[in-house]
Amino acid sequence: MNNINEINKTRIKLYYNLSELIPITGLKTRTLKYRMLEIKEKYIDVPNLLRREGRSWKIHYTIINEFMPKYSPTTKTIYNENWTSTSTWNPKHNYTGDYHSHLVNEIKSLLPEDKLVYTIETDKRGVHHVHLMCTAKTLDLANAVETVLGRYLDLKRECMIQTTKIHNKYSLFEYLRKASLGGAIL
């Protein structure tokens, strides 16, 4: 039974109630209730994303972004940080996790004013790759990633890179948090 409980801890939680959003969003209960007035109208015909069960709401994890602060929050959390861009790279050949960590540290040194969260995973081929999110603008992050990786790899033949704007911060952060080989917040 303990093994099943340990496995279940690694799964993403599908539904939250309003009180569980307080530590995620950094907002007070009253503010979340006011936000719910707007959001429930938007998702009135989508019960698999938002529904009322008894006296509480069941909020699907994919719409938690709707509850994030509109302005700079007084209570800062890792979730409501101003994450704006994400990048992933997957090399053709396998490199160690330490190698990828070193690359991320070099990227961070090019973006000293920005925060960065990353994780290192292994794909089906057994090759390590990196997912990260950053508070830097998408173009700034793309330039930093390509500059650092370009020092060590032939980017056209040895590595696939994708850098984009973040569309759902909460889901991306949860994905990074659940990754297998670890990572860090820089």
Side-chain angles (χ1 to χ4, degrees), residues 132-145:
L132 61 85
M133 61 192 237
C134 187
T135 57
K137 293 177 183 173
T138 305
L139 185 59
D140 294 341
L141 178 61
N143 289 337
V145 169

Side-chain angles (χ1 to χ4, degrees), residues 53-178:
E53 284 188 8
R55 295 184 62 187
S56 67
W57 288 96
K58 294 296 179 191
I59 303 159
H60 197 265
Y61 76 95
T62 58
I63 65 168
I64 288 177
N65 241 27
E66 303 269 354
F67 291 89
M68 289 299 181
K70 294 178 182 177
Y71 309 104
S72 184
T74 54
T75 307
K76 280 289 196 183
T77 70
I78 193 75
Y79 296 103
N80 69 17
E81 187 64 54
N82 191 25
W83 304 112
T84 56
S85 55
T86 180
S87 189
T88 298
W89 67 82
N90 197 343
K92 185 176 182 180
H93 305 290
N94 199 11
Y95 298 93
T96 66
D98 289 338
Y99 180 84
H100 287 291
S101 292
H102 179 76
L103 294 175
V104 172
N105 286 326
E106 282 193 36
I107 292 166
K108 174 61 178 145
S109 71
L110 294 178
L111 304 165
E113 301 299 314
D114 296 298
K115 293 183 181 174
L116 192 135
V117 176
Y118 75 97
T119 189
I120 301 168
E121 290 184 315
T122 305
D123 64 14
K124 292 176 184 176
R125 302 173 296 148
V127 174
H128 294 102
H129 62 278
V130 175
H131 299 282
L132 61 85
M133 61 192 237
C134 187
T135 57
K137 293 177 183 173
T138 305
L139 185 59
D140 294 341
L141 178 61
N143 289 337
V145 169
E146 289 175 14
T147 298
V148 170
L149 294 180
R151 291 178 192 158
Y152 305 102
L153 302 169
D154 179 357
L155 298 183
K156 292 184 180 183
R157 289 190 248 160
E158 293 184 315
C159 191
M160 195 166 63
I161 303 171
Q162 182 180 13
T163 304
T164 62
K165 177 183 173 191
I166 294 175
H167 298 289
N168 189 330
K169 289 190 263 189
Y170 179 76
S171 293
L172 178 59
F173 189 80
E174 282 300 298
Y175 179 78
L176 295 178
R177 193 173 69 81
K178 301 284 186 190

